[in-house]
């Protein structure tokens, strides 16, 4: 039998999560491939601190802060976590869950490889089953954070290629993979009976995404991957984003359109001989995207146009 982490019970007060900018995601992903850093380890103030669970649906909570949004699903017998934030955040995650349940954590699902989503996997005992998409498992094996023997139990125990279902009945969780986007192993995690999906950093926030080409991400594939997810996943109303607030299904649909328009403009701009900076400067969007952040980013002054130009030039 797999031993589980047991949680206590106390009283809680709720806090809402604010949005998180691209700069924080960028910092975490760059450090994330090295597993992130724990408290006192020199990590910059990119993320707000962990805050109290925000109830998303019956028995489903989002824990913001200190990296990616963690989802906690309280099932009939156990707790399933989606993403474990940065290194040394495991106890804080458990502390935030104490007001919610005393049931044991038995499963962790990682949406992708970055250390702000996998950083505290190793805090949990080897009895807790870790599940990822198969490409994410390969990416995680290369992370310096998991090279020490004492931390290797934080690597995945089970993987899937295109689809997997964990648990049964009203507790069923469907995992989907539709291709490269943020990385080459991004999982969409659907809490079937609740009509809620954790999208990880494929949909981190409203704005240009972080495209981690070092871990197989692709700006060319990005809009197609979202389109496949939108077309293939049914009966979802609510989205837990990678780093922002809880959103609606239509927000994901719109985000796919945003990335499609971004790619189309990149193709046209490159064909016209423009630089990435020029492409970003004259990128115009429909009014519904007025709240999106498209400035700068990991690609430099030209934002993701630099990344996509490089991809297109390799074709």
């Amino acid at each position: 039998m797999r031993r589980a982490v047991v949680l206590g019970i106390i009283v809680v007060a709720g806090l809402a999560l604010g949005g998180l900018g691209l700069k924080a995601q960028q910092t975490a992903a760059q450090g994330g491939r090295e597993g992130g850093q724990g408290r006192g380890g020199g990590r910059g103030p990119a993320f707000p601190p962990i805050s109290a669970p925000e109830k998303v649906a019956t028995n489903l909570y989002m824990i913001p802060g200190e990296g990616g949004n963690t989802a906690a699903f309280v099932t009939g017998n156990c707790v399933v976590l989606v993403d474990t934030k940065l290194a040394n955040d495991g106890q804080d995650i458990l502390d935030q869950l104490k007001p919610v349940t005393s049931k044991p954590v038995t499963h962790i699902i990682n949406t992708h490889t970055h250390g702000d989503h996998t950083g505290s996997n190793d805090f949990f005992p080897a009895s807790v089953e870790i599940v990822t998409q198969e490409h994410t498992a390969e990416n995680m094996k290369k992370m310096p954070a998991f090279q020490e023997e004492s931390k290797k139990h934080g690597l995945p125990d089970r993987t899937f290629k295109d689809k997997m279902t964990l648990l049964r009945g009203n507790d069923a969780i469907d995992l989907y993979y539709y291709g490269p986007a943020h990385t080459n192993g991004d999982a969409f995690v659907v809490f079937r009976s609740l009509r809620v999906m954790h999208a990880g950093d494929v949909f981190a926030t409203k704005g240009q995404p972080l495209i981690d080409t070092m871990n197989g991400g692709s700006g060319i594939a990005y809009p197609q991957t979202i389109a496949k997810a939108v077309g293939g996943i049914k009966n979802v109303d609510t989205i837990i984003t990678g780093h922002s607030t809880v959103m609606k299904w239509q927000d994901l649909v719109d985000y796919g359109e945003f990335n499609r328009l971004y790619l189309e403009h990149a193709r046209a701009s490159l064909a016209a001989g423009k630089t990435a900076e020029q492409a970003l400067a004259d990128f115009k969007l429909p009014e519904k995207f007025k709240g999106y952040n498209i400035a700068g980013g990991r690609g430099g002054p030209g934002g993701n146009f630099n990344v996509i130009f490089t991809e297109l030039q390799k074709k």
Side-chain angles (χ1 to χ4, degrees), residues 45-127:
F47 294 107
I50 293 178
S51 57
E54 177 181 331
K55 188 172 183 178
V56 179
T58 302
N59 294 324
L60 179 63
Y61 302 84
M62 182 180 78
I63 305 173
E66 284 285 307
N69 288 326
T70 296
F73 182 38
V74 183
T75 74
N77 300 309
C78 65
V79 175
V80 179
L81 296 180
V82 180
D83 290 341
T84 62
K85 304 190 180 295
L86 293 162
N88 296 335
D89 283 333
Q91 187 58 56
D92 282 346
I93 292 172
L94 295 186
D95 289 345
Q96 294 302 331
L97 284 176
K98 286 177 182 177
V100 173
T101 183
S102 60
K103 293 176 181 177
V105 173
T106 57
H107 297 76
I108 291 169
I109 302 166
N110 291 134
T111 58
H112 63 288
T113 190
H114 291 151
D116 59 322
H117 295 258
T118 63
S120 288
N121 280 14
D122 65 285
F123 167 84
F124 297 87
S127 58

Side-chain angles (χ1 to χ4, degrees), residues 11 13 28 42 61 73 84 127 148 154 170 176 196 202 212 250 274-275 287 302:
V11 180
Y61 302 84
F73 182 38
T84 62
S127 58
E148 295 180 26
N170 290 335
Y176 297 91
V196 177
V202 172
D212 181 6
Q250 186 61 44
K274 294 181 180 180
T275 66
E287 180 67 16

Side-chain angles (χ1 to χ4, degrees), residues 16-258:
L17 172 67
L20 180 66
L22 179 63
K23 182 177 180 181
Q25 299 170 49
Q26 173 185 340
T27 301
Q30 290 172 336
R33 285 189 296 275
E34 300 178 2
Q37 299 181 46
R39 281 191 176 80
R43 183 176 64 229
F47 294 107
I50 293 178
S51 57
E54 177 181 331
K55 188 172 183 178
V56 179
T58 302
N59 294 324
L60 179 63
Y61 302 84
M62 182 180 78
I63 305 173
E66 284 285 307
N69 288 326
T70 296
F73 182 38
V74 183
T75 74
N77 300 309
C78 65
V79 175
V80 179
L81 296 180
V82 180
D83 290 341
T84 62
K85 304 190 180 295
L86 293 162
N88 296 335
D89 283 333
Q91 187 58 56
D92 282 346
I93 292 172
L94 295 186
D95 289 345
Q96 294 302 331
L97 284 176
K98 286 177 182 177
V100 173
T101 183
S102 60
K103 293 176 181 177
V105 173
T106 57
H107 297 76
I108 291 169
I109 302 166
N110 291 134
T111 58
H112 63 288
T113 190
H114 291 151
D116 59 322
H117 295 258
T118 63
S120 288
N121 280 14
D122 65 285
F123 167 84
F124 297 87
S127 58
V128 175
E129 184 175 65
I130 300 173
V131 183
T132 70
Q133 202 278 336
E134 60 186 18
H135 297 312
T136 291
E138 292 304 311
N139 291 337
M140 288 173 67
K141 289 176 184 177
K142 302 171 187 176
M143 294 171 66
F146 294 115
Q147 299 310 304
E148 295 180 26
E149 198 63 36
S150 63
K151 295 182 179 294
K152 287 187 176 180
H153 67 277
L155 290 169
D157 301 297
R158 294 175 65 189
T159 65
F160 72 100
K161 183 177 181 180
D162 299 312
K163 184 180 178 182
M164 173 187 283
T165 297
L166 297 178
L167 308 182
R168 300 176 181 178
N170 290 335
D171 293 338
I173 303 170
D174 296 317
L175 310 180
Y176 297 91
Y177 174 71
Y178 287 102
H182 177 61
T183 70
N184 65 353
D186 301 303
F188 295 91
V189 182
V190 176
F191 303 95
R192 189 192 300 172
S193 67
L194 303 180
R195 302 176 67 94
V196 177
M197 181 174 81
H198 196 315
D201 280 1
V202 172
F203 187 19
T205 188
K206 289 184 176 181
Q208 62 172 349
L210 177 64
I211 303 169
D212 181 6
T213 56
M214 292 180 65
N215 278 304
S218 170
I220 295 175
Y222 218 117
Q224 183 179 20
T225 295
I226 295 178
K228 288 178 180 178
V230 168
I233 298 172
K234 307 299 181 183
N235 302 316
V236 170
D237 302 318
T238 303
I239 306 289
I240 298 174
T241 60
H243 288 272
S244 188
T245 57
V246 173
M247 298 190 190
K248 297 299 183 183
W249 181 257
Q250 186 61 44
D251 292 309
L252 177 65
V253 175
D254 292 344
Y255 192 62
E257 181 184 354
F258 165 78

